Amino acid sequence: QGLGRHLQNLRAQQGRLAFAHFGVKVVGDLWGYCGAMGNYLLIGVAIFAPGWWSKDLPDAADPSVIASDISRASFHCIMLIQGFTLIIEAATDIGDLRGYLLRISSFLDSLDAQIQHPPPAGGDRA
């Protein structure tokens, strides 16, 4: 009866872990997808409205300044996407590690219970 309870608890923990893993995966994929769209939006604004964010600079309409601004902003956007994606992947890995540790601790608890209360000698082990 005790082992069945442990297995039910383990199954419930695995269900919660799978649900959390799914949520983190969806957020990570959505972040990468929306981040790429944001990068293209940033490039589009820089191309079609070149002096929009740097109106007070005297050389804002200079093509080299525009190219430099696009390149710099795009680089920062891509680096932010990559950094947050790594954080989300680390959160997923930590969740997986938590699941493995939970399974191992449940297994060790079951073994400890078997050692503390061994089955009667000559009993059926099947």
Side-chain angles (χ1 to χ4, degrees), residues 6-7 17 21-23 32 41-42 48-49 56 61 90 92-93 98-99 105-106 109 111-112 117 122 124:
H6 284 293
L7 289 176
L17 183 67
H21 189 281
F22 175 74
L41 181 68
L42 181 71
F48 294 114
D56 50 341
T92 302
D93 292 343
R98 180 178 173 258
S105 67
S106 294
D109 287 344
L111 286 179
D112 189 41
H117 306 289
D124 188 19

Side-chain angles (χ1 to χ4, degrees), residues 27-38:
V27 167
D29 291 344
L30 190 64
W31 174 258
Y33 181 73
C34 291
M37 287 190 329

Side-chain angles (χ1 to χ4, degrees), residues 36-79:
M37 287 190 329
N39 189 30
Y40 288 126
L41 181 68
L42 181 71
I43 291 171
V45 166
I47 290 173
F48 294 114
W52 183 60
W53 65 81
S54 57
K55 292 178 185 174
D56 50 341
L57 295 177
D59 56 352
D62 184 21
S64 64
V65 172
I66 294 171
S68 173
D69 287 346
I70 291 171
S71 177
R72 187 179 322 110
S74 182
F75 172 77
H76 289 300
C77 190
I78 289 171
M79 289 306 294

Side-chain angles (χ1 to χ4, degrees), residues 95-120:
D96 290 344
L97 180 63
R98 180 178 173 258
Y100 297 144
L101 290 176
L102 183 66
R103 285 186 220 131
I104 290 170
S105 67
S106 294
F107 176 71
L108 292 176
D109 287 344
S110 298
L111 286 179
D112 189 41
Q114 289 293 325
I115 291 171
Q116 295 294 328
H117 306 289

Side-chain angles (χ1 to χ4, degrees), residues 6-23:
H6 284 293
L7 289 176
Q8 286 177 349
N9 289 340
L10 180 63
R11 194 180 107 238
Q13 284 284 356
Q14 282 182 323
R16 286 191 292 274
L17 183 67
F19 184 72
H21 189 281
F22 175 74

